[in-house]
Amino acid sequence: MGLFQEAQEMEKHSKSSLSVMNGKIMAIAFFEPSTRTRLSFETAMLRLGGRVIDMGSVEASSLAKGENLADTIRMLDSYADLIVMRHELEGAARFAAEIADAPVINAGDGAQNHPTQAMLDAYTMWREFGRIDGLSIGFMGDLRYARVINSLVQVLSLFDVKLHLISPPSLRPRAELLDFMRGRGMRFEMHDQLEEAVEGLDVLYVVRIQKERFPDPMEYERVRGSFRLTMESLRGARDSLIILHPLPRVDEVDFAVDQTRHARYFKQAALGVPLRMALIKLVLGGAE
Ligand code: CP
């Protein structure tokens, strides 16, 4: 069964319990803040009947005493069947995967990747439209530092979609990502303003400006608040437009938008549990 079909099956169990992961332990190692990814992974494992150990904050672990990342991973590997890791350094999850025998799932590494979020986003589109092929998808906001954009573009490169990249010039995707898109023959246009693209969109995917990843605070100050989705900016949108956002939201989506027929970001976040249940099953194996 494919990931999306398995996730749809898991939706039936996302408020009940299975026993498919009985006896299995998942270690959570998050070196950066998280609400949704950490808690949806934990919920997913618990719903599957497994158990979770959480390294806690860096300050609460022996990292605070100077222990290195490799030794920390070796320890988690000896305790758990699966490691879910978020780290501020690009490539950290890959490094951990080279050390550990247990599978390592990347829950976000620096500005590089957030693959399980991208799987969730694509799954949400598939659940909403019954397909991904043929969709016109706008990305709006910080397309330079938002790691999920890298991952979601990679997922969407498997489908026939048209992308609209909406951002201030300084927050356009990095050259490597644009090269990737050209290399894959992906169709895309760049826009400075949402108004240029909103009428044709099936999906509008908004990302916050990633303050913590700007190398220069002055650069952040120049773009802060430059994109804000309001009722006014949605004028001309199709009735069927859906708005996604990986969350957390800061100030880039007006609260009034939450009440529109377009808003799907809270549903999207909720689907993180069945999607990650499916992913854990696919990674660790196991039948009901
Ligand atoms: N979407 C996402 O990664 O949210 P958290 O940072 O809360 O995990």
Side-chain angles (χ1 to χ4, degrees), residues 148-212:
V148 69
I149 297 296
N150 287 339
S151 295
L152 187 50
V153 166
Q154 289 176 53
V155 171
L156 294 175
S157 73
L158 303 173
F159 300 91
D160 177 24
V161 294
K162 171 85 184 276
L163 300 184
H164 295 267
L165 310 176
I166 307 154
S167 70
S170 63
L171 294 182
R172 286 192 178 143
R174 286 175 277 180
E176 310 90 85
L177 186 61
L178 294 174
D179 287 345
F180 172 85
M181 292 164 70
R182 290 188 188 103
R184 291 295 176 102
M186 295 181 78
R187 294 179 293 135
F188 67 94
E189 289 177 15
M190 294 206 245
H191 308 274
D192 291 337
Q193 298 296 332
L194 175 61
E195 289 70 20
E196 297 168 18
V198 69
E199 286 181 12
L201 297 180
D202 298 301
V203 179
L204 176 59
Y205 191 98
V206 185
V207 283
R208 73 183 166 89
I209 297 188
Q210 315 276 307
K211 179 181 181 183
E212 69 277 22

Side-chain angles (χ1 to χ4, degrees), residues 30 32-40 86 107-108 114 117 120-121 147-148 205 208 245-248 269 276:
F30 273 38
E32 275 194 336
S34 168
T35 297
R36 277 148 292 273
T37 312
R38 183 167 57 84
L39 292 178
S40 62
R86 171 173 288 190
H114 194 348
Q117 179 68 47
L120 165 59
D121 302 336
R147 56 191 169 198
V148 69
Y205 191 98
R208 73 183 166 89
H245 190 310
L247 304 176
R276 290 180 171 111

